[in-house]
């Protein structure tokens, strides 16, 4: 098995060189995909790496909105996905027309949208945000009477509690993170009483309220490294646990719930990376008019953080 993995790994390396490509893997990708990648990170970190690299081709191992975000920031590069059908159900819960309607109902509201949205939705937003900076973005909007926050109702709930703002929210959610239940955290805490509990803000509010720290995946990576604690209960998609263990071999990481698996994140395989590099597809490209408007919402976020 190890031999087979290295054969695929070598093939990927060879093709990467031939195509002048880099491979980016989201923190939730399969271990072997993370190992094949040049960089791992959250969606914004990876999109910013894509914008900076000299490589001409970006192989984005993640879900569709993430590859779109990379394409929005790097219009001159070829962004390809090993499996174009890897989507994000949360992002698919809000269409641009839904947001247009919500905006028409609240004409004075400022619109803030989680990065887990399509490019068309981002084009309708005033501000994009990530789970790392959602609170900071909303805090800047002190003078705005009304705020629309889409699509994740649980991230919205967390931001409302942190900022004291009441917002107009959408009914979206992550089907993977809601699988982590309060009793799972309770059970892990019983087995590992000294472990710090890190939880993603896409989790249920009852789970969020049990956490020592509510963090995005990039923040979890940083927190695990810098904390004096040596044991952590990890309340997010289980792919991150592989990265945490690899980066911190002396520390212990326990998934809050093994069932918190995002099937779309697991669609990408080494074999599909090879085909993508061989055939140079499927390309993700955002039409220029939408790209320009979507980029504005990302730029506004980057001005804040
Ligand atoms: O922005 C990302 O990469 C997502 C969706 C999760 C996270 O917290 O990193
Ligand atoms: Fe979307 Fe949830 Fe999967 Fe992230 S873990 S890509 S939010 S469905």
């Amino acid at each position: 098995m190890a031999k087979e993995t290295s054969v695929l790994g070598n093939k990927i390396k060879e093709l990467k060189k031939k195509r002048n490509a880099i491979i980016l893997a989201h923190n939730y990708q399969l271990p072997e995909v993370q190992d094949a990648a040049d960089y791992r990170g959250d969606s914004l970190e990876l999109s910013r790496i894509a914008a900076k690299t000299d490589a001409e081709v970006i192989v984005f191992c993640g879900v569709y909105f993430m590859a779109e975000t990379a394409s929005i920031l790097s219009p001159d590069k070829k962004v390809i996905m090993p499996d174009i059908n890897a989507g994000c159900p949360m992002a698919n819960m809000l269409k641009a027309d839904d947001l247009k309607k919500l905006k028409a109902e609240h004409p004075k509201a400022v619109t803030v949208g989680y990065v887990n949205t399509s490019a068309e939705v981002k084009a309708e937003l005033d501000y994009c945000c990530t789970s790392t900076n959602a609170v900071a973005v909303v805090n800047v909007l002190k003078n705005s009477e009304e705020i629309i926050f889409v699509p994740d109702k649980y991230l919205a709930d967390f931001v409302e509690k942190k900022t004291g703002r009441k917002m107009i929210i959408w009914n979206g959610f992550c089907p993977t993170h809601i699988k982590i239940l309060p009793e799972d955290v309770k059970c892990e805490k019983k087995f590992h009483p000294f472990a710090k509990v890190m939880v993603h803000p896409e989790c249920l509010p009852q789970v969020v309220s049990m956490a020592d720290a509510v963090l995005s995946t990039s923040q979890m990576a940083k927190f695990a490294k810098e904390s004096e604690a040596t044991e952590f209960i990890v309340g997010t998609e289980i792919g991150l646990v592989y990265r945490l263990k690899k980066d911190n071999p002396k520390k212990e990481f326990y998934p809050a719930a093994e069932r918190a698996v995002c099937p779309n994140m697991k669609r990408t395989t080494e074999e599909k990376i090879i085909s993508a590099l061989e055939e140079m597809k499927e390309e993700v490209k955002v039409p220029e008019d939408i790209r320009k408007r979507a980029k504005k919402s990302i730029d506004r976020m980057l001005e804040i953080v």
Side-chain angles (χ1 to χ4, degrees), residues 28 63 88-90 116 174-177 202 262 265:
Y28 297 157
V63 293
C88 167
M90 184 208 283
N116 296 36
C174 165
T176 296
H177 281 84
E202 286 172 23
C262 174
M265 281 287 178

Side-chain angles (χ1 to χ4, degrees), residues 52-63:
K52 273 195 225 138
T53 177
D54 291 333
E56 291 163 75
V57 177
I58 313 294
V59 181
F60 207 112
C61 306
V63 293

Side-chain angles (χ1 to χ4, degrees), residues 284-297:
V284 175
K285 193 143 187 76
V286 178
E288 191 55 19
D289 53 327
I290 293 173
R291 188 193 75 81
K292 275 200 198 133
R293 287 162 56 217
K295 185 167 180 293
K296 268 193 200 143
S297 71

Side-chain angles (χ1 to χ4, degrees), residues 50-79:
K52 273 195 225 138
T53 177
D54 291 333
E56 291 163 75
V57 177
I58 313 294
V59 181
F60 207 112
C61 306
V63 293
Y64 194 80
F65 80 82
M66 298 181 174
E68 271 190 329
T69 308
S71 169
I72 289 167
L73 297 186
S74 312
D76 301 329
K77 288 177 188 141
K78 197 174 173 86
V79 179

Side-chain angles (χ1 to χ4, degrees), residues 90-91 93-94 113-114 116-117 149-153 170-173:
M90 184 208 283
M93 287 175 191
L94 176 74
Y114 193 21
N116 296 36
T117 46
F149 190 100
V150 293
D152 185 1
K153 62 177 167 184
W170 192 249
N171 196 20
F173 61 90

Side-chain angles (χ1 to χ4, degrees), residues 68-171:
E68 271 190 329
T69 308
S71 169
I72 289 167
L73 297 186
S74 312
D76 301 329
K77 288 177 188 141
K78 197 174 173 86
V79 179
I80 55 177
M81 278 183 82
D83 189 327
I84 196 86
N85 293 316
C88 167
M90 184 208 283
N92 295 340
M93 287 175 191
L94 176 74
K95 305 278 174 246
D97 280 347
D98 298 325
L99 182 54
K100 281 186 198 161
K101 199 161 160 246
L102 200 58
K103 280 164 61 169
E105 284 163 13
H106 305 276
K108 282 202 228 129
V110 176
T111 49
V112 181
Y114 193 21
V115 67
N116 296 36
T117 46
S118 66
E120 287 84 1
V121 166
K122 285 188 181 76
E124 293 297 323
L125 294 171
D126 294 310
Y127 293 86
C128 181
C129 74
T130 67
S131 38
T132 304
N133 59 37
V135 170
V137 170
V138 170
N139 268 333
V140 163
L141 305 175
K142 288 212 160 54
N143 298 327
S144 313
E145 239 173 79
E146 283 185 311
I147 301 172
I148 292 173
F149 190 100
V150 293
D152 185 1
K153 62 177 167 184
Y154 297 126
L155 176 61
D157 178 80
F158 172 69
V159 172
E160 284 190 333
K161 285 174 180 151
K162 278 278 173 191
T163 61
R165 287 297 302 254
K166 195 89 196 94
M167 305 189 291
I168 298 148
I169 63 175
W170 192 249
N171 196 20

